Amino acid sequence: MRRLVILGGSDGTVSAFRAARRLGLATICVDMRQDAPGVAEADEFLHLSTRDVPAVAAALRDRDGLAGLLAPGSDINLPSLVELARLLGLPCGLTDATLRASTDKLFFREVCERLGLPGPRYCAGDADSALRPPLPVIVKPVDSGSSRGITICREPGELPAAIAHAKEVSPTGRALIEELLTGEDLCAEAMLQDGRIALLGLSRRVTAPPAVVAVGHDMAPADDVLEKEVVRQLERVCADLGYRDGPLNVDLFVDGGQVTLVEMGARIGGNGLGEALGLMHGVDTVEATVRLAIGERPDLTPARRVPAHVRVLRAPAEGTLVSIDGLESLPDGAEVVVVAKPGDHVVPYTECRAKLGYVVDREPPDLDALIRIDVR
């Protein structure tokens, strides 16, 4: 039987394990956490750090039927994906430049600047104060995700603590300071084929305090002029990076018709965005990404263009999860991913990894009305 290795077992990997199963692939989950959500979805579990490439390669090198590697939902495992694909002779569509743009926000800013694309004023966190953009600014880790380590600063005295916090969260100890953009904060989920954007979904973030973290996404067909400009910029960046086939997740702002790309990841978006793109176009985009990982060419012909909505399941307070009730009341067509179980310690949703799960549907699900989450 052909086997797919999925690096990481976070909630963002669950849909990939399920898609692989539909395609008849056996799956191997690699993660340090034995209780990671993906472990229960996998056929086999390797209790190893995804960053320990030599150990993972040694564990996989003599496996029969090894067909591909995948690292969905987060950029953190993309470096290991690229290195393991080379060591094991498996398919990988990520160039070195694509990998760097996905894992280094400062490099991505430099790429956009070199291409003449709009962008915020920015500098590295350790740059001289004279080079810093004017306040207000957003301070973030150069190479961390899940909305961790982000601070909006409106006063000069707030900067030192914000920079220190971002560096603490950053795996390489680096921070980025950017001019605080205004306008509409959007997320672009896309599938690239032969260097062209084959599928695109622009989603608006649904936020609740603290507003940095999205509690949902509303994806819908957008204005043609806006979509064409987003496609133009994305295809220019991907051509520069040498990225031709695969998923793409991009944060952007739109203000007065101007599109500004903020950061990118050459992988399926987390929080149900990959599933939402598929629902919008009538294409199983997660399954398509699995096919790419094993060297196949998926059919990305869209069958429709309809809205799709994601809502995150959140704990009302810190404590022990007792139950999540009411899931059976959700519409039959809704895709539900639950990653927490009774007995888990849960915390309020202030960063993406604190989610209990998510729901994807054609109509925005009213989780507050339908779902009761009991925490003691």
Side-chain angles (χ1 to χ4, degrees):
M1 176 177 280
R2 293 187 301 170
R3 304 177 191 277
L4 175 71
V5 178
I6 297 184
L7 299 176
S10 69
D11 58 271
T13 68
V14 170
S15 60
F17 281 106
R18 295 176 180 177
R21 187 179 304 117
R22 292 194 298 272
L23 291 172
L25 297 168
T27 53
I28 302 172
C29 176
V30 182
D31 202 294
M32 275 293 291
R33 287 179 52 202
Q34 292 178 292
D35 61 345
V39 174
E41 301 283 340
D43 296 297
E44 185 179 347
F45 173 50
L46 288 183
H47 189 201
L48 295 169
S49 168
T50 55
R51 297 187 183 189
D52 189 350
V53 172
V56 176
L60 295 173
R61 186 166 284 115
D62 296 325
R63 295 297 181 95
D64 293 331
L66 209 58
L69 295 154
L70 194 60
S74 172
D75 302 320
I76 193 170
N77 291 319
L78 293 180
S80 295
L81 172 74
V82 172
E83 190 173 352
L84 283 166
R86 289 171 179 167
L87 289 172
L88 300 173
L90 295 171
C92 181
L94 272 65
T95 63
D96 289 341
T98 304
L99 172 62
R100 189 175 176 192
S102 298
T103 57
D104 187 328
K105 297 176 178 64
L106 183 58
F107 176 72
F108 181 71
R109 286 266 54 83
E110 293 167 353
V111 169
C112 292
E113 187 174 46
R114 176 164 46 77
L115 293 174
L117 301 179
R121 286 170 286 185
Y122 69 95
C123 69
D126 54 2
D128 186 273
S129 59
L131 301 176
R132 292 173 182 171
L135 296 169
V137 296
I138 184 167
V139 181
K140 62 179 78 171
V142 165
D143 48 3
S144 181
S146 301
S147 301
R148 291 183 295 156
I150 295 175
T151 307
I152 294 174
C153 297
R154 303 185 185 277
E155 301 293 337
E158 298 171 339
L159 277 167
I163 294 169
H165 178 48
K167 288 182 175 181
E168 182 180 357
V169 171
S170 164
T172 58
R174 296 181 296 147
L176 172 66
I177 304 174
E178 288 180 346
E179 173 187 8
L180 186 64
L181 293 171
T182 59
E184 196 168 17
D185 182 8
L186 302 180
C187 185
E189 190 76 12
M191 289 294 295
L192 194 71
Q193 191 165 67
D194 299 327
R196 310 289 292 184
I197 299 296
L199 302 173
L200 174 69
L202 296 178
S203 64
R204 289 164 174 80
R205 301 173 192 274
V206 180
T207 59
V212 171
V213 185
V215 300
H217 291 269
D218 292 330
M219 186 180 288
D223 174 80
D224 284 346
V225 174
L226 172 59
E227 287 200 355
K228 286 179 180 178
E229 176 59 13
V230 172
V231 166
R232 183 189 76 84
Q233 293 197 27
L234 294 182
E235 289 183 348
R236 284 201 66 192
V237 168
C238 290
D240 184 80
L241 300 173
Y243 186 45
R244 294 185 52 78
D245 295 277
L248 190 62
N249 178 262
V250 180
D251 291 338
L252 59 94
F253 273 83
V254 179
D255 190 7
Q258 178 172 286
V259 173
T260 302
L261 306 181
V262 178
E263 55 190 65
M264 66 163 276
R267 42 80 178 172
I268 302 172
N271 288 343
L273 281 170
E275 297 95 308
L277 180 67
L279 180 60
M280 179 179 178
H281 290 284
V283 176
D284 192 331
T285 48
V286 181
E287 183 177 300
T289 303
V290 171
R291 288 187 182 278
L292 281 167
I294 60 174
E296 296 183 1
R297 180 182 175 86
D299 182 359
L300 298 178
T301 306
R304 60 178 183 241
R305 272 166 56 91
V306 300
H309 305 270
V310 182
R311 292 295 184 271
V312 173
L313 292 165
R314 298 170 288 151
E318 182 172 0
T320 300
L321 179 64
V322 176
S323 63
I324 301 176
D325 300 310
L327 294 173
E328 69 284 351
S329 64
L330 293 167
D332 290 340
E335 182 164 356
V336 181
V337 173
V338 177
V339 297
K341 60 185 182 301
D344 285 352
H345 179 75
V346 297
V347 297
Y349 187 69
T350 58
E351 59 182 57
C352 294
R353 60 181 177 175
K355 74 173 72 64
L356 308 184
Y358 56 85
V359 179
V360 185
D361 199 10
R362 291 195 185 188
E363 297 293 333
D366 187 355
L367 300 187
D368 290 337
L370 296 173
I371 307 299
R372 181 175 180 271
I373 299 174
D374 188 5
V375 175
R376 304 272 173 89

